[in-house]
Amino acid sequence: MSRLVVSQISKTFGRTQVLDGISLEVPDGSSTAVVGSSGCGKTTLLRVIAGFETPDAGSVAVGAETVVREGFSMPPNRRNIGYVAQDGALFPHLTVGQNIAYGLNGGLAGRRRHQDRIAELLEMVSLGAGYAVRRPHELSGGQQQRVALARAMARKPEIMLLDEPFSALDTGLRAATRQAVADTLRAAGMTSILVTHDQEEALSFADQVAVMCTGRFTQVGSPEQVYAAPADLFTAQFLGDCVLLDGVVESGVAACALGRVPVQAGAPAAAVRIMVRPEQLVAHIAAQGEPGTGTVRGVEFRGADVMLTIVLDGMSDPIQVRRVSVGAPVAGDRVDLEVLGAAVAFDSEQSAAAGRPVASSAEAPLLTR
């Protein structure tokens, strides 16, 4: 049985429709990341699930209990749902132990009898029991977020909602805190939803990823599925760098500037826009006497690897390819490009319409982020 089921949720603020018939199932004990750009509706969805907003239509069920349906919305305090905000929202005048006790039955008055539980929760989020006497300003940003998680977990909620809890942390701390939180939730067997605008965070954190655009999901699936086999061009470009080329598909193979490239099953036998990820391309220096398929125009050294800017024969716009720096080509070298795996093919007309608002650079349409 799915622990959380969201069905056809719609929400409008004034004349702006923020959620447009959203449906989502989060299996028991699993984690789902809802990822999208600012203003797409992902935080509103979280607030509807938590009970902070009432939808115009649709329903939300937690386990066997419906908490939202037409004409009924259970108050937030009666829903067994934990919520961790972006800034942690710790009480600055209370100690860590008192902050956690606030989430336990009896609140601050019962802190003394809850000392063992507070120590257990601190250990659960990889903080020792000694942190109970500290105050929030004495903690790093990552530690504060873990205390906020411990407080939210205190009442053993059925669902944990995480509203961009790592976005204010620096890069190194963000990764470490994200991993600690993911491990804690997994060890507790807790069902969770993470809202984020960070693609890498979504792909690394969750068992399931839901990509949102203007109040709708463009695709819901495993991280591997939505990244390697995106349903449309928006999803492809939003989740990472893309190399996009025109081609013609016949018998499961696309003829394009890279040569003949196999495409994933279901591609239309027609003129298409094919997509490969930069890591699928391997650049080899063309053998003596061999023509190669492109010319290296620039090399950006990054230590362990390099970023090659390559102009393919017959094309004016360059593509970029990553490869290890040892024995890398130099500017002016002719190269052959090998494609690992299969490309994804999108209908040319549909992909052109979808690609216009999301391409990051009109001057470099072949490589977008």
Side-chain angles (χ1 to χ4, degrees):
M1 179 182 68
S2 293
R3 176 66 68 181
L4 175 68
V5 179
V6 176
S7 300
Q8 295 297 308
I9 289 292
S10 294
K11 179 66 177 177
T12 300
F13 293 108
R15 297 182 179 180
T16 303
Q17 183 156 31
V18 180
L19 298 177
D20 187 8
I22 285 285
S23 294
L24 179 69
E25 292 193 23
V26 182
D28 190 14
S30 71
S31 59
T32 291
V34 177
V35 61
S37 57
S38 297
C40 71
K42 56 189 185 297
T43 293
T44 300
L45 173 62
L46 216 62
R47 291 176 61 82
V48 166
I49 296 170
F52 304 147
E53 299 285 353
T54 301
D56 302 326
S59 65
V60 176
V62 177
E65 186 172 31
T66 298
V67 297
V68 173
R69 63 176 183 272
E70 186 176 355
F72 170 77
S73 179
M74 182 181 291
N77 63 309
R78 291 183 52 201
R79 304 184 190 192
N80 193 16
I81 294 176
Y83 193 97
V84 179
Q86 180 173 333
D87 60 0
L90 299 179
F91 299 112
H93 63 290
L94 301 181
T95 66
V96 166
Q98 289 169 334
N99 267 280
I100 296 174
Y102 195 87
L104 293 167
N105 291 330
L108 295 179
R111 178 177 176 258
R112 187 174 299 279
R113 63 187 175 87
H114 287 314
Q115 283 182 343
D116 289 344
R117 176 61 175 157
I118 291 169
E120 177 188 347
L121 286 163
L122 285 170
E123 293 292 341
M124 193 178 295
V125 296
S126 302
L127 296 174
Y131 280 85
V133 297
R134 298 191 187 185
R135 294 190 183 274
H137 73 272
E138 299 177 298
L139 306 179
S140 70
Q143 290 169 339
Q144 289 181 28
Q145 286 301 89
R146 283 188 265 175
V147 172
L149 177 65
R151 182 178 62 185
M153 293 179 66
R155 293 188 179 183
K156 300 181 179 179
E158 293 184 77
I159 307 290
M160 183 64 69
L161 305 179
L162 306 162
D163 189 4
E164 302 202 47
F166 316 119
S167 61
L169 306 178
D170 62 59
T171 303
L173 185 58
R174 183 186 309 151
T177 305
R178 179 176 69 225
Q179 188 60 54
V181 169
D183 291 344
T184 298
L185 294 172
R186 195 173 295 113
M190 190 166 291
T191 306
S192 62
I193 297 181
L194 167 71
V195 155
T196 180
H197 61 270
D198 187 309
Q199 300 92 328
E200 180 181 338
E201 188 167 278
L203 295 171
S204 64
F205 182 90
D207 304 306
Q208 177 177 255
V209 174
V211 182
M212 183 178 280
C213 178
T214 58
R216 297 182 179 182
F217 289 136
T218 61
Q219 188 172 1
V220 179
S222 69
E224 296 82 5
Q225 180 185 23
V226 296
Y227 181 78
D232 55 31
L233 189 57
F234 171 84
T235 304
Q237 291 178 306
F238 188 80
L239 289 179
D241 292 338
C242 302
V243 175
L244 302 173
L245 299 166
D246 292 324
V248 177
V249 173
E250 186 177 348
S251 302
V253 176
C256 65
L258 292 172
R260 294 180 60 77
V261 178
V263 294
Q264 294 182 9
V272 297
R273 192 78 160 153
I274 71 164
M275 185 279 290
V276 295
R277 298 295 186 188
E279 60 268 22
Q280 289 182 259
L281 298 177
V282 182
H284 304 283
I285 299 174
Q288 186 84 25
E290 294 295 324
T293 57
T295 302
V296 177
R297 294 302 186 200
V299 180
E300 182 183 343
F301 181 72
R302 298 184 174 184
D305 60 15
V306 294
M307 182 68 77
L308 305 175
T309 299
I310 298 172
V311 177
L312 299 174
D313 294 346
M315 300 193 63
S316 58
D317 293 309
I319 65 172
Q320 291 184 297
V321 178
R322 289 187 295 267
R323 63 153 285 166
V324 295
S325 58
V326 178
V330 298
D333 278 349
R334 294 287 294 173
V335 292
D336 282 313
L337 289 177
E338 176 187 359
V339 181
L340 304 178
V344 180
F346 300 111
D347 177 83
S348 291
E349 292 184 8
Q350 181 182 15
S351 64
R356 280 194 294 270
V358 295
S360 62
S361 170
E363 289 74 33
L366 297 182
L367 183 65
T368 60
R369 177 69 173 170

